[in-house]
Amino acid sequence: MNGIIILDGQDASGKTTLAENIIKWNNGNGVILHATYRFKNKMPLYHTALLKKAIKLSKNQLVILDRLHISEYIYAKVYRGGTKWPWMLDVFNTVCKILNIPIILCIPETYERGLVWFEQAKKERPEMYEDIKEIIKEYCVYAYKHKYDKNIIIYNRDFAQFYKKIYTENIKNKIFTLLGEQKNG
């Protein structure tokens, strides 16, 4: 399959592992683009350029964007008192719906589980933030509000580990169904 997928969620929610698995499911055809916070005063331009690059690359491969507009919205809300670009979330969500871009939200089953994931990750690698309690809460609220959106897929790494066959096949089918409906352009 070719196309674009956006992964989003709190730090240590399994985004990169899921991205690598999706590429495996797609017979190794794919690339992961990690969004960063390098252009903090030009986030709409940066995200637009990243999405345009993904659209171009997706003509002959699967492109997975590890974070995009939802992260800007949530992290800005928690750490900076809100984003400078409040319109950005709705604009990018609309573009994703029009193009049938699946947005996979990596969300813990419980708030406490999200904290465990984060604490485990901090032992293995440096994390940008020390305390993400509010981040976890905001992602869970966002996921709950958007759980019925056609292009939103809620993913939980614990379920994928413990209910591997059924859960993973269900996620895989949802992803590839949306990719089959995707319009690039």
Side-chain angles (χ1 to χ4, degrees):
M1 279 286 206
N2 299 343
I4 302 166
I5 296 170
I6 297 172
L7 297 180
D8 217 315
Q10 71 171 69
D11 295 341
S13 61
K15 294 179 301 296
T16 302
T17 301
L18 177 59
E20 291 165 352
N21 284 333
I22 293 169
I23 289 172
K24 284 179 194 170
W25 299 338
N26 199 37
N27 299 318
N29 178 32
V31 63
I32 303 167
L33 302 177
H34 293 271
T36 65
Y37 196 66
R38 290 182 301 174
F39 305 100
K40 61 184 176 184
N41 293 319
K42 298 179 181 182
M43 291 305 280
L45 292 175
Y46 172 62
H47 285 153
T48 300
L50 194 56
L51 188 55
K52 285 176 98 173
K53 180 178 181 174
I55 289 169
K56 183 178 178 180
L57 292 172
S58 73
K59 301 288 185 211
N60 23 334
Q61 65 186 327
L62 180 63
V63 179
I64 301 173
L65 292 170
D66 188 338
R67 296 195 184 274
L68 200 64
H69 60 292
I70 298 169
S71 285
E72 166 57 23
Y73 167 75
I74 290 176
Y75 280 81
K77 182 177 182 179
V78 171
Y79 292 116
R80 299 188 306 274
T83 181
K84 296 178 189 177
W85 310 279
W87 52 267
M88 195 169 115
L89 181 70
D90 290 335
V91 168
F92 276 85
N93 277 342
T94 300
V95 168
C96 290
K97 284 179 185 174
I98 290 168
L99 298 177
N100 287 316
I101 296 174
I103 299 173
I104 303 172
L105 297 174
C106 299
I107 305 296
E109 180 66 11
T110 65
Y111 170 80
E112 292 78 16
R113 194 67 187 135
L115 288 175
V116 168
W117 292 348
F118 184 67
E119 291 304 318
Q120 287 172 339
K122 281 182 8 182
K123 292 175 186 172
E124 298 168 11
R125 64 179 187 248
E127 290 292 339
M128 187 177 217
Y129 300 99
E130 280 299 312
D131 180 6
I132 65 163
K133 291 175 188 154
E134 288 300 310
I135 294 292
I136 296 168
K137 183 178 112 187
E138 290 297 330
Y139 269 108
C140 290
V141 167
Y142 187 88
Y144 182 78
K145 286 181 180 177
H146 295 275
K147 67 182 177 184
Y148 296 115
D149 289 6
K150 181 184 176 231
N151 67 317
I152 299 282
I153 298 171
I154 307 298
Y155 173 82
N156 179 289
R157 75 181 213 190
D158 289 336
F159 288 2
Q161 181 180 2
F162 297 120
Y163 306 105
K164 213 170 204 154
K165 274 197 167 180
I166 295 170
Y167 186 77
T168 302
E169 279 303 311
N170 186 24
I171 293 292
K172 187 176 171 182
N173 289 337
K174 286 179 182 179
I175 292 167
F176 286 107
T177 297
L178 282 169
L179 284 173
E181 298 170 0
Q182 198 166 103
K183 304 170 196 135
N184 291 328

